[in-house]
Amino acid sequence: MEKDVLIIGGGIVGLCSAYYLQKEGHKVTVLDRSDITSGASFVNAGYITPSHIIPLASPGMISKGIKWMFNSSSPFYMQPRWDTDFFKWSWYFHKSSTKEKVALAIPLIKEINIISRELFTSIKNSGDLGNFQLERKGLLMLYKTEKEGEHEMQVAQKAFFLGLEVSSLNKKELDLLQPNITMDVKGAVHYECDGHTTPTEFMKKMLDYLKRSGVTIKTNEEVIDLSMENGQISKVTTSKNEYSPEEVVLAAGSWSDNLSKKMNIKLPIQAGKGYRINVPRPTGITIPAILMEAKVAVTPMTEYTRFAGTMEFSGINDVIRRQRVEAIANAATEFYPEIKISEAEKADAKSGLRPVSPDGLPYIGRIGDLKNLTVATGHAMMGWSLGPVTGKLVSEILSERKTSMDITGFSPNRRF
């Protein structure tokens, strides 16, 4: 049965939701407060990561955050500020950071990532978007110290027992794998199960396809209010129009929390800012990597190599902290001595806000007592990787089909 669906948010989750909903025959409109050319869906590392089985909320992260709180160039930075929502979220994060809860999250994260990886392949094979970068070279976890190597091997063992392809590489093996770049490291864990893309390329091609397929895209249009009547959203008021859709999908990323408050819904989210530097010249890097001690991601993309990273909790803003950009640039040279990121490349650095739930798991599903609202947000650092599967799950929920996996663990109604 065709439904009139309004999607709030034009990031990868919103666009993938539109992609699968239009294929189910629904009438779809996507609203975004921007022109859909910037933000987290454009500045991320482009990883498709079944290997990322450990959620952000894990033992030790709070203590690291406190330790790094006053170091604005640290990989995990929480800006000191008086913010009651952040205090509540931090408490929920602390409660979620237990071995028991992490153990429950691991198989969920692995399953949803595997499904999404296959959907990326299906989208490419369909020809809908034309050709775009989608490679399966894996992900190298490069380490300089034995301590970091041993820590990652513990994660690798969990991944191996879950059936993921993973191997350990010494320095000699690394040099054979990437002979055209010098690496100052001891070794790496190679998650061969992972893939990567170029986000700017995928997003543009997805937008073009949706427009050709009859999806209405409304840009530079901000949601101002949502009206409720008889247990459902009856009207969505924006800066330009009013809408009365049958179904609403809230996929507004870091802005989802503010919008949920307009409906008296509790949806704890904090914006986790990440940065990227593009290097549009040959680097010799052919395989994506995470520079472990620095927590910096490296991706060989179409036309450039991207260096991305950091998790900064400083509220919703677009401030570029130059010391964090410098930290990424310095990490690149520390791990790849031949690479010197130029001042011009650093000056072109961009940031994006990732929506982070307290337990590091996304919110996917119906919420509260509102009969026509579906939530799809809170993906933290897995937003890009989980875009297609989230869109698929949203389409299954609205089409009243059996979902591709059990989504109970992602319920927006869960308690912390």
Side-chain angles (χ1 to χ4, degrees):
M1 182 178 69
E2 178 185 328
K3 295 180 179 179
D4 181 6
V5 183
L6 181 68
I7 300 173
I8 304 174
I12 187 172
V13 171
L15 296 191
C16 285
S17 296
Y19 178 80
Y20 288 106
L21 283 165
Q22 60 87 23
K23 285 189 174 293
E24 290 281 349
H26 301 294
K27 179 184 176 184
V28 184
T29 299
V30 177
L31 290 179
D32 198 272
R33 62 194 301 278
S34 74
D35 61 0
I36 316 184
T37 60
S38 61
S41 291
F42 290 83
V43 305
N44 65 84
Y47 290 164
I48 303 165
T49 50
S51 68
H52 281 28
I53 56 174
I54 307 297
L56 183 64
S58 57
M61 283 306 295
I62 284 289
S63 59
K64 284 182 181 178
I66 294 171
K67 175 183 175 183
W68 288 333
M69 182 175 287
F70 299 101
N71 180 2
S72 58
S73 64
S74 63
F76 183 76
Y77 173 61
M78 297 189 293
Q79 182 185 35
R81 66 191 192 277
W82 187 266
D83 182 333
T84 54
D85 285 342
F86 182 60
F87 295 153
K88 289 178 183 177
W89 180 92
S90 299
W91 175 241
Y92 298 148
F93 186 97
H94 170 70
K95 289 172 65 179
S96 300
S97 301
T98 66
K99 290 182 179 179
E100 293 76 18
K101 290 187 177 179
V102 169
L104 290 173
I106 286 173
L108 286 176
I109 295 173
K110 178 249 182 176
E111 183 180 2
I112 194 170
N113 267 287
I114 290 289
I115 296 172
S116 206
R117 185 186 67 185
E118 301 314 308
L119 288 174
F120 266 110
T121 301
S122 296
I123 291 172
K124 181 159 188 175
N125 291 343
S126 72
D128 290 339
L129 276 60
N131 189 38
F132 62 90
Q133 184 197 31
L134 178 62
E135 298 189 65
R136 180 86 173 273
K137 294 182 177 180
L139 176 66
L140 295 170
M141 303 296 286
L142 299 175
Y143 57 86
K144 283 176 165 289
T145 63
E146 295 295 344
K147 180 181 178 182
E148 283 292 338
E150 289 170 5
H151 176 266
E152 192 57 38
M153 279 308 302
Q154 293 174 10
V155 177
Q157 287 172 2
K158 292 185 176 75
F160 179 78
F161 286 125
L162 286 171
L164 298 175
E165 305 95 331
V166 58
S167 59
S168 177
L169 303 175
N170 59 33
K171 182 63 166 60
K172 185 177 180 180
E173 291 167 328
L174 270 174
D175 290 339
L176 288 172
L177 200 59
Q178 290 193 120
N180 297 318
I181 183 71
T182 299
M183 292 171 280
D184 184 8
V185 298
K186 284 190 176 295
V189 172
H190 188 194
Y191 291 99
E192 299 156 55
C193 50
D194 289 6
H196 70 283
T197 59
T198 298
T200 51
E201 183 182 57
F202 182 92
M203 289 292 287
K204 183 182 184 303
K205 289 177 180 286
M206 178 60 83
L207 267 172
D208 290 345
Y209 169 79
L210 293 176
K211 291 173 183 176
R212 293 196 309 270
S213 301
V215 172
T216 301
I217 307 291
K218 298 281 190 175
T219 57
N220 299 306
E221 190 165 339
E222 186 170 3
V223 174
I224 305 300
D225 201 11
L226 299 102
S227 304
M228 272 72 68
E229 188 177 327
N230 298 323
Q232 64 181 25
I233 298 170
S234 57
K235 183 171 66 175
V236 177
T237 303
T238 74
S239 54
K240 297 179 179 178
N241 294 294
E242 287 186 352
Y243 302 86
S244 297
E246 293 175 69
E247 294 279 358
V248 175
V249 177
L250 181 57
S254 296
W255 288 264
S256 299
D257 181 26
N258 291 337
L259 292 175
S260 70
K261 289 175 182 175
K262 296 180 183 295
M263 298 175 280
N264 296 315
I265 289 172
K266 180 180 177 182
L267 194 67
I269 286 176
Q270 284 293 310
K273 186 185 293 182
Y275 295 78
R276 70 96 176 118
I277 302 172
N278 290 341
V279 177
R281 51 192 163 88
T283 62
I285 297 170
T286 58
I287 301 175
I290 290 181
L291 316 181
M292 290 192 59
E293 283 82 359
K295 304 294 186 290
V296 168
V298 185
T299 316
M301 295 184 179
T302 304
E303 298 183 352
Y304 48 79
T305 300
R306 174 167 290 181
F307 295 83
T310 83
M311 179 64 83
E312 173 187 324
F313 292 106
S314 59
I316 293 181
N317 62 74
D318 57 2
V319 175
I320 300 286
R321 296 179 187 272
R322 289 299 158 186
Q323 56 269 51
R324 302 186 72 71
V325 175
E326 289 290 343
I328 293 172
N330 291 338
T333 303
E334 288 169 7
F335 280 76
Y336 304 104
E338 296 172 345
I339 295 177
K340 311 291 183 187
I341 293 180
S342 71
E343 291 302 319
E345 289 160 349
K346 286 186 282 187
D348 185 53
K350 298 291 188 295
S351 69
L353 300 174
R354 297 162 290 197
V356 185
S357 70
D359 59 3
L361 297 177
Y363 297 118
I364 306 172
R366 299 286 193 181
I367 187 170
D369 298 322
L370 291 172
K371 293 177 283 189
N372 65 338
L373 175 63
T374 300
V375 173
T377 188
H379 296 73
M381 295 176 292
M382 295 182 289
W384 186 260
S385 186
L386 300 183
V389 68
T390 304
K392 180 72 170 175
L393 291 168
V394 165
S395 74
E396 290 167 346
I397 292 167
L398 269 62
S399 300
E400 299 175 18
R401 298 180 185 274
K402 182 180 179 181
T403 53
S404 298
M405 66 174 290
D406 183 357
I407 58 173
T408 305
F410 307 128
S411 171
N413 299 305
R414 65 186 184 271
R415 295 182 179 275
F416 298 104

PDB file of all heavy atoms in Angstrom, residues 284-315:
ATOM      1  N   GLY A 284      50.754   6.882  -2.299  1.00  0.00           N
ATOM      2  CA  GLY A 284      51.228   5.499  -2.212  1.00  0.00           C
ATOM      3  C   GLY A 284      50.374   4.624  -1.332  1.00  0.00           C
ATOM      4  O   GLY A 284      50.570   3.413  -1.261  1.00  0.00           O
ATOM      5  N   ILE A 285      49.398   5.231  -0.651  1.00  0.00           N
ATOM      6  CA  ILE A 285      48.504   4.462   0.232  1.00  0.00           C
ATOM      7  C   ILE A 285      47.408   3.827  -0.612  1.00  0.00           C
ATOM      8  O   ILE A 285      46.681   4.514  -1.336  1.00  0.00           O
ATOM      9  CB  ILE A 285      47.894   5.371   1.310  1.00  0.00           C
ATOM     10  CG1 ILE A 285      48.996   5.939   2.209  1.00  0.00           C
ATOM     11  CG2 ILE A 285      46.876   4.604   2.146  1.00  0.00           C
ATOM     12  CD1 ILE A 285      48.526   7.030   3.155  1.00  0.00           C
ATOM     13  N   THR A 286      47.292   2.516  -0.527  1.00  0.00           N
ATOM     14  CA  THR A 286      46.291   1.796  -1.331  1.00  0.00           C
ATOM     15  C   THR A 286      45.268   1.042  -0.490  1.00  0.00           C
ATOM     16  O   THR A 286      44.265   0.574  -1.025  1.00  0.00           O
ATOM     17  CB  THR A 286      46.991   0.791  -2.265  1.00  0.00           C
ATOM     18  OG1 THR A 286      47.772  -0.113  -1.465  1.00  0.00           O
ATOM     19  CG2 THR A 286      47.902   1.503  -3.257  1.00  0.00           C
ATOM     20  N   ILE A 287      45.527   0.910   0.812  1.00  0.00           N
ATOM     21  CA  ILE A 287      44.628   0.169   1.697  1.00  0.00           C
ATOM     22  C   ILE A 287      44.224   1.070   2.863  1.00  0.00           C
ATOM     23  O   ILE A 287      45.085   1.691   3.491  1.00  0.00           O
ATOM     24  CB  ILE A 287      45.299  -1.113   2.234  1.00  0.00           C
ATOM     25  CG1 ILE A 287      45.707  -2.021   1.071  1.00  0.00           C
ATOM     26  CG2 ILE A 287      44.364  -1.857   3.181  1.00  0.00           C
ATOM     27  CD1 ILE A 287      46.482  -3.256   1.507  1.00  0.00           C
ATOM     28  N   PRO A 288      42.928   1.160   3.172  1.00  0.00           N
ATOM     29  CA  PRO A 288      42.495   1.964   4.313  1.00  0.00           C
ATOM     30  C   PRO A 288      43.175   1.512   5.602  1.00  0.00           C
ATOM     31  O   PRO A 288      43.481   0.327   5.776  1.00  0.00           O
ATOM     32  CB  PRO A 288      40.990   1.709   4.371  1.00  0.00           C
ATOM     33  CG  PRO A 288      40.613   1.336   2.981  1.00  0.00           C
ATOM     34  CD  PRO A 288      41.790   0.548   2.461  1.00  0.00           C
ATOM     35  N   ALA A 289      43.389   2.465   6.497  1.00  0.00           N
ATOM     36  CA  ALA A 289      44.067   2.145   7.754  1.00  0.00           C
ATOM     37  C   ALA A 289      43.569   3.040   8.873  1.00  0.00           C
ATOM     38  O   ALA A 289      43.087   4.156   8.636  1.00  0.00           O
ATOM     39  CB  ALA A 289      45.580   2.321   7.591  1.00  0.00           C
ATOM     40  N   ILE A 290      43.680   2.535  10.090  1.00  0.00           N
ATOM     41  CA  ILE A 290      43.495   3.357  11.275  1.00  0.00           C
ATOM     42  C   ILE A 290      44.830   3.420  11.993  1.00  0.00           C
ATOM     43  O   ILE A 290      45.448   2.386  12.273  1.00  0.00           O
ATOM     44  CB  ILE A 290      42.393   2.806  12.198  1.00  0.00           C
ATOM     45  CG1 ILE A 290      41.023   3.004  11.535  1.00  0.00           C
ATOM     46  CG2 ILE A 290      42.430   3.496  13.560  1.00  0.00           C
ATOM     47  CD1 ILE A 290      39.851   2.535  12.345  1.00  0.00           C
ATOM     48  N   LEU A 291      45.300   4.637  12.254  1.00  0.00           N
ATOM     49  CA  LEU A 291      46.554   4.861  12.956  1.00  0.00           C
ATOM     50  C   LEU A 291      46.220   4.796  14.446  1.00  0.00           C
ATOM     51  O   LEU A 291      45.697   5.754  15.010  1.00  0.00           O
ATOM     52  CB  LEU A 291      47.142   6.224  12.564  1.00  0.00           C
ATOM     53  CG  LEU A 291      47.091   6.555  11.054  1.00  0.00           C
ATOM     54  CD1 LEU A 291      47.728   7.910  10.777  1.00  0.00           C
ATOM     55  CD2 LEU A 291      47.758   5.450  10.231  1.00  0.00           C
ATOM     56  N   MET A 292      46.495   3.670  15.048  1.00  0.00           N
ATOM     57  CA  MET A 292      45.871   3.338  16.313  1.00  0.00           C
ATOM     58  C   MET A 292      46.176   4.294  17.457  1.00  0.00           C
ATOM     59  O   MET A 292      45.268   4.730  18.165  1.00  0.00           O
ATOM     60  CB  MET A 292      46.215   1.906  16.705  1.00  0.00           C
ATOM     61  CG  MET A 292      45.538   0.882  15.822  1.00  0.00           C
ATOM     62  SD  MET A 292      45.653  -0.780  16.486  1.00  0.00           S
ATOM     63  CE  MET A 292      44.846  -0.592  18.066  1.00  0.00           C
ATOM     64  N   GLU A 293      47.439   4.592  17.664  1.00  0.00           N
ATOM     65  CA  GLU A 293      47.766   5.457  18.789  1.00  0.00           C
ATOM     66  C   GLU A 293      47.158   6.855  18.631  1.00  0.00           C
ATOM     67  O   GLU A 293      46.817   7.509  19.614  1.00  0.00           O
ATOM     68  CB  GLU A 293      49.290   5.567  18.961  1.00  0.00           C
ATOM     69  CG  GLU A 293      49.934   4.357  19.613  1.00  0.00           C
ATOM     70  CD  GLU A 293      50.186   3.213  18.633  1.00  0.00           C
ATOM     71  OE1 GLU A 293      49.838   3.352  17.437  1.00  0.00           O
ATOM     72  OE2 GLU A 293      50.741   2.193  19.057  1.00  0.00           O
ATOM     73  N   ALA A 294      47.014   7.296  17.384  1.00  0.00           N
ATOM     74  CA  ALA A 294      46.472   8.635  17.115  1.00  0.00           C
ATOM     75  C   ALA A 294      44.964   8.627  16.889  1.00  0.00           C
ATOM     76  O   ALA A 294      44.332   9.692  16.885  1.00  0.00           O
ATOM     77  CB  ALA A 294      47.161   9.240  15.901  1.00  0.00           C
ATOM     78  N   LYS A 295      44.373   7.449  16.666  1.00  0.00           N
ATOM     79  CA  LYS A 295      42.949   7.322  16.367  1.00  0.00           C
ATOM     80  C   LYS A 295      42.571   8.133  15.127  1.00  0.00           C
ATOM     81  O   LYS A 295      41.559   8.838  15.089  1.00  0.00           O
ATOM     82  CB  LYS A 295      42.092   7.769  17.564  1.00  0.00           C
ATOM     83  CG  LYS A 295      42.387   7.049  18.863  1.00  0.00           C
ATOM     84  CD  LYS A 295      42.025   5.578  18.789  1.00  0.00           C
ATOM     85  CE  LYS A 295      42.166   4.854  20.127  1.00  0.00           C
ATOM     86  NZ  LYS A 295      43.571   4.690  20.551  1.00  0.00           N
ATOM     87  N   VAL A 296      43.389   8.004  14.084  1.00  0.00           N
ATOM     88  CA  VAL A 296      43.151   8.698  12.821  1.00  0.00           C
ATOM     89  C   VAL A 296      42.886   7.664  11.729  1.00  0.00           C
ATOM     90  O   VAL A 296      43.580   6.648  11.645  1.00  0.00           O
ATOM     91  CB  VAL A 296      44.355   9.581  12.438  1.00  0.00           C
ATOM     92  CG1 VAL A 296      44.254  10.067  10.994  1.00  0.00           C
ATOM     93  CG2 VAL A 296      44.459  10.777  13.385  1.00  0.00           C
ATOM     94  N   ALA A 297      41.866   7.925  10.909  1.00  0.00           N
ATOM     95  CA  ALA A 297      41.506   7.029   9.806  1.00  0.00           C
ATOM     96  C   ALA A 297      42.100   7.542   8.504  1.00  0.00           C
ATOM     97  O   ALA A 297      42.132   8.751   8.258  1.00  0.00           O
ATOM     98  CB  ALA A 297      39.985   6.941   9.683  1.00  0.00           C
ATOM     99  N   VAL A 298      42.551   6.613   7.668  1.00  0.00           N
ATOM    100  CA  VAL A 298      43.170   6.950   6.383  1.00  0.00           C
ATOM    101  C   VAL A 298      42.465   6.149   5.287  1.00  0.00           C
ATOM    102  O   VAL A 298      42.351   4.926   5.402  1.00  0.00           O
ATOM    103  CB  VAL A 298      44.677   6.615   6.384  1.00  0.00           C
ATOM    104  CG1 VAL A 298      45.326   7.092   5.094  1.00  0.00           C
ATOM    105  CG2 VAL A 298      45.369   7.222   7.600  1.00  0.00           C
ATOM    106  N   THR A 299      42.002   6.847   4.245  1.00  0.00           N
ATOM    107  CA  THR A 299      41.276   6.156   3.180  1.00  0.00           C
ATOM    108  C   THR A 299      41.715   6.627   1.808  1.00  0.00           C
ATOM    109  O   THR A 299      41.661   7.827   1.515  1.00  0.00           O
ATOM    110  CB  THR A 299      39.757   6.389   3.302  1.00  0.00           C
ATOM    111  OG1 THR A 299      39.345   6.264   4.657  1.00  0.00           O
ATOM    112  CG2 THR A 299      38.990   5.396   2.449  1.00  0.00           C
ATOM    113  N   PRO A 300      42.145   5.693   0.926  1.00  0.00           N
ATOM    114  CA  PRO A 300      42.428   6.056  -0.469  1.00  0.00           C
ATOM    115  C   PRO A 300      41.117   6.171  -1.238  1.00  0.00           C
ATOM    116  O   PRO A 300      40.460   5.163  -1.523  1.00  0.00           O
ATOM    117  CB  PRO A 300      43.284   4.889  -0.966  1.00  0.00           C
ATOM    118  CG  PRO A 300      42.870   3.726  -0.113  1.00  0.00           C
ATOM    119  CD  PRO A 300      42.433   4.280   1.205  1.00  0.00           C
ATOM    120  N   MET A 301      40.717   7.392  -1.536  1.00  0.00           N
ATOM    121  CA  MET A 301      39.441   7.630  -2.201  1.00  0.00           C
ATOM    122  C   MET A 301      39.667   8.056  -3.654  1.00  0.00           C
ATOM    123  O   MET A 301      40.799   8.235  -4.096  1.00  0.00           O
ATOM    124  CB  MET A 301      38.648   8.712  -1.448  1.00  0.00           C
ATOM    125  CG  MET A 301      38.236   8.305  -0.047  1.00  0.00           C
ATOM    126  SD  MET A 301      37.200   9.567   0.749  1.00  0.00           S
ATOM    127  CE  MET A 301      36.876   8.753   2.333  1.00  0.00           C
ATOM    128  N   THR A 302      38.579   8.221  -4.371  1.00  0.00           N
ATOM    129  CA  THR A 302      38.657   8.705  -5.742  1.00  0.00           C
ATOM    130  C   THR A 302      39.216  10.129  -5.739  1.00  0.00           C
ATOM    131  O   THR A 302      38.635  11.022  -5.126  1.00  0.00           O
ATOM    132  CB  THR A 302      37.257   8.704  -6.391  1.00  0.00           C
ATOM    133  OG1 THR A 302      36.699   7.401  -6.315  1.00  0.00           O
ATOM    134  CG2 THR A 302      37.322   9.145  -7.845  1.00  0.00           C
ATOM    135  N   GLU A 303      40.367  10.324  -6.353  1.00  0.00           N
ATOM    136  CA  GLU A 303      41.003  11.630  -6.540  1.00  0.00           C
ATOM    137  C   GLU A 303      41.781  12.156  -5.332  1.00  0.00           C
ATOM    138  O   GLU A 303      42.459  13.182  -5.440  1.00  0.00           O
ATOM    139  CB  GLU A 303      39.994  12.695  -6.988  1.00  0.00           C
ATOM    140  CG  GLU A 303      39.345  12.367  -8.334  1.00  0.00           C
ATOM    141  CD  GLU A 303      38.408  13.455  -8.804  1.00  0.00           C
ATOM    142  OE1 GLU A 303      38.132  14.391  -8.024  1.00  0.00           O
ATOM    143  OE2 GLU A 303      37.936  13.370  -9.951  1.00  0.00           O
ATOM    144  N   TYR A 304      41.705  11.524  -4.187  1.00  0.00           N
ATOM    145  CA  TYR A 304      42.488  11.994  -3.043  1.00  0.00           C
ATOM    146  C   TYR A 304      42.575  10.914  -1.965  1.00  0.00           C
ATOM    147  O   TYR A 304      41.816   9.931  -1.974  1.00  0.00           O
ATOM    148  CB  TYR A 304      41.896  13.274  -2.430  1.00  0.00           C
ATOM    149  CG  TYR A 304      40.405  13.232  -2.176  1.00  0.00           C
ATOM    150  CD1 TYR A 304      39.866  12.568  -1.060  1.00  0.00           C
ATOM    151  CD2 TYR A 304      39.525  13.876  -3.045  1.00  0.00           C
ATOM    152  CE1 TYR A 304      38.501  12.555  -0.832  1.00  0.00           C
ATOM    153  CE2 TYR A 304      38.158  13.858  -2.828  1.00  0.00           C
ATOM    154  CZ  TYR A 304      37.643  13.195  -1.716  1.00  0.00           C
ATOM    155  OH  TYR A 304      36.290  13.174  -1.498  1.00  0.00           O
ATOM    156  N   THR A 305      43.538  11.116  -1.051  1.00  0.00           N
ATOM    157  CA  THR A 305      43.618  10.294   0.154  1.00  0.00           C
ATOM    158  C   THR A 305      43.041  11.121   1.294  1.00  0.00           C
ATOM    159  O   THR A 305      43.388  12.305   1.441  1.00  0.00           O
ATOM    160  CB  THR A 305      45.076   9.919   0.493  1.00  0.00           C
ATOM    161  OG1 THR A 305      45.627   9.176  -0.601  1.00  0.00           O
ATOM    162  CG2 THR A 305      45.130   9.054   1.750  1.00  0.00           C
ATOM    163  N   ARG A 306      42.152  10.532   2.064  1.00  0.00           N
ATOM    164  CA  ARG A 306      41.515  11.256   3.171  1.00  0.00           C
ATOM    165  C   ARG A 306      42.100  10.825   4.504  1.00  0.00           C
ATOM    166  O   ARG A 306      42.239   9.626   4.785  1.00  0.00           O
ATOM    167  CB  ARG A 306      40.007  11.034   3.160  1.00  0.00           C
ATOM    168  CG  ARG A 306      39.277  11.638   4.360  1.00  0.00           C
ATOM    169  CD  ARG A 306      37.777  11.677   4.157  1.00  0.00           C
ATOM    170  NE  ARG A 306      37.428  12.669   3.135  1.00  0.00           N
ATOM    171  CZ  ARG A 306      36.174  12.926   2.762  1.00  0.00           C
ATOM    172  NH1 ARG A 306      35.159  12.251   3.296  1.00  0.00           N
ATOM    173  NH2 ARG A 306      35.923  13.833   1.843  1.00  0.00           N
ATOM    174  N   PHE A 307      42.422  11.801   5.336  1.00  0.00           N
ATOM    175  CA  PHE A 307      42.824  11.579   6.719  1.00  0.00           C
ATOM    176  C   PHE A 307      41.712  12.156   7.597  1.00  0.00           C
ATOM    177  O   PHE A 307      41.387  13.340   7.485  1.00  0.00           O
ATOM    178  CB  PHE A 307      44.159  12.269   7.015  1.00  0.00           C
ATOM    179  CG  PHE A 307      45.318  11.696   6.245  1.00  0.00           C
ATOM    180  CD1 PHE A 307      45.567  12.098   4.940  1.00  0.00           C
ATOM    181  CD2 PHE A 307      46.145  10.739   6.817  1.00  0.00           C
ATOM    182  CE1 PHE A 307      46.628  11.568   4.213  1.00  0.00           C
ATOM    183  CE2 PHE A 307      47.208  10.192   6.093  1.00  0.00           C
ATOM    184  CZ  PHE A 307      47.448  10.606   4.792  1.00  0.00           C
ATOM    185  N   ALA A 308      41.119  11.325   8.422  1.00  0.00           N
ATOM    186  CA  ALA A 308      39.961  11.767   9.203  1.00  0.00           C
ATOM    187  C   ALA A 308      40.056  11.245  10.617  1.00  0.00           C
ATOM    188  O   ALA A 308      40.728  10.251  10.885  1.00  0.00           O
ATOM    189  CB  ALA A 308      38.666  11.275   8.542  1.00  0.00           C
ATOM    190  N   GLY A 309      39.351  11.920  11.513  1.00  0.00           N
ATOM    191  CA  GLY A 309      39.354  11.400  12.867  1.00  0.00           C
ATOM    192  C   GLY A 309      38.874  12.362  13.910  1.00  0.00           C
ATOM    193  O   GLY A 309      38.340  13.430  13.610  1.00  0.00           O
ATOM    194  N   THR A 310      39.088  11.971  15.138  1.00  0.00           N
ATOM    195  CA  THR A 310      38.738  12.609  16.402  1.00  0.00           C
ATOM    196  C   THR A 310      37.248  12.485  16.702  1.00  0.00           C
ATOM    197  O   THR A 310      36.413  12.420  15.795  1.00  0.00           O
ATOM    198  CB  THR A 310      39.148  14.100  16.483  1.00  0.00           C
ATOM    199  OG1 THR A 310      38.183  14.917  15.868  1.00  0.00           O
ATOM    200  CG2 THR A 310      40.509  14.338  15.891  1.00  0.00           C
ATOM    201  N   MET A 311      36.944  12.458  17.979  1.00  0.00           N
ATOM    202  CA  MET A 311      35.569  12.497  18.465  1.00  0.00           C
ATOM    203  C   MET A 311      35.512  13.644  19.463  1.00  0.00           C
ATOM    204  O   MET A 311      36.106  13.581  20.535  1.00  0.00           O
ATOM    205  CB  MET A 311      35.182  11.170  19.128  1.00  0.00           C
ATOM    206  CG  MET A 311      33.766  11.159  19.689  1.00  0.00           C
ATOM    207  SD  MET A 311      32.472  11.348  18.432  1.00  0.00           S
ATOM    208  CE  MET A 311      32.317   9.659  17.843  1.00  0.00           C
ATOM    209  N   GLU A 312      34.829  14.700  19.063  1.00  0.00           N
ATOM    210  CA  GLU A 312      34.773  15.913  19.877  1.00  0.00           C
ATOM    211  C   GLU A 312      33.340  16.186  20.312  1.00  0.00           C
ATOM    212  O   GLU A 312      32.457  16.381  19.478  1.00  0.00           O
ATOM    213  CB  GLU A 312      35.316  17.103  19.073  1.00  0.00           C
ATOM    214  CG  GLU A 312      35.156  18.451  19.767  1.00  0.00           C
ATOM    215  CD  GLU A 312      35.541  19.610  18.872  1.00  0.00           C
ATOM    216  OE1 GLU A 312      36.490  19.461  18.072  1.00  0.00           O
ATOM    217  OE2 GLU A 312      34.893  20.662  18.965  1.00  0.00           O
ATOM    218  N   PHE A 313      33.120  16.198  21.613  1.00  0.00           N
ATOM    219  CA  PHE A 313      31.805  16.539  22.146  1.00  0.00           C
ATOM    220  C   PHE A 313      31.840  17.983  22.629  1.00  0.00           C
ATOM    221  O   PHE A 313      32.319  18.276  23.720  1.00  0.00           O
ATOM    222  CB  PHE A 313      31.432  15.596  23.289  1.00  0.00           C
ATOM    223  CG  PHE A 313      31.188  14.179  22.838  1.00  0.00           C
ATOM    224  CD1 PHE A 313      32.116  13.186  23.091  1.00  0.00           C
ATOM    225  CD2 PHE A 313      30.033  13.839  22.159  1.00  0.00           C
ATOM    226  CE1 PHE A 313      31.903  11.882  22.673  1.00  0.00           C
ATOM    227  CE2 PHE A 313      29.807  12.542  21.734  1.00  0.00           C
ATOM    228  CZ  PHE A 313      30.743  11.551  21.989  1.00  0.00           C
ATOM    229  N   SER A 314      31.344  18.890  21.792  1.00  0.00           N
ATOM    230  CA  SER A 314      31.342  20.308  22.143  1.00  0.00           C
ATOM    231  C   SER A 314      30.029  20.975  21.754  1.00  0.00           C
ATOM    232  O   SER A 314      29.962  22.189  21.588  1.00  0.00           O
ATOM    233  CB  SER A 314      32.513  21.019  21.446  1.00  0.00           C
ATOM    234  OG  SER A 314      32.421  20.882  20.036  1.00  0.00           O
ATOM    235  N   GLY A 315      28.988  20.167  21.600  1.00  0.00           N
ATOM    236  CA  GLY A 315      27.697  20.696  21.208  1.00  0.00           C
ATOM    237  C   GLY A 315      27.552  20.803  19.704  1.00  0.00           C
ATOM    238  O   GLY A 315      28.431  20.401  18.935  1.00  0.00           O
TER     239      GLY A 315
END
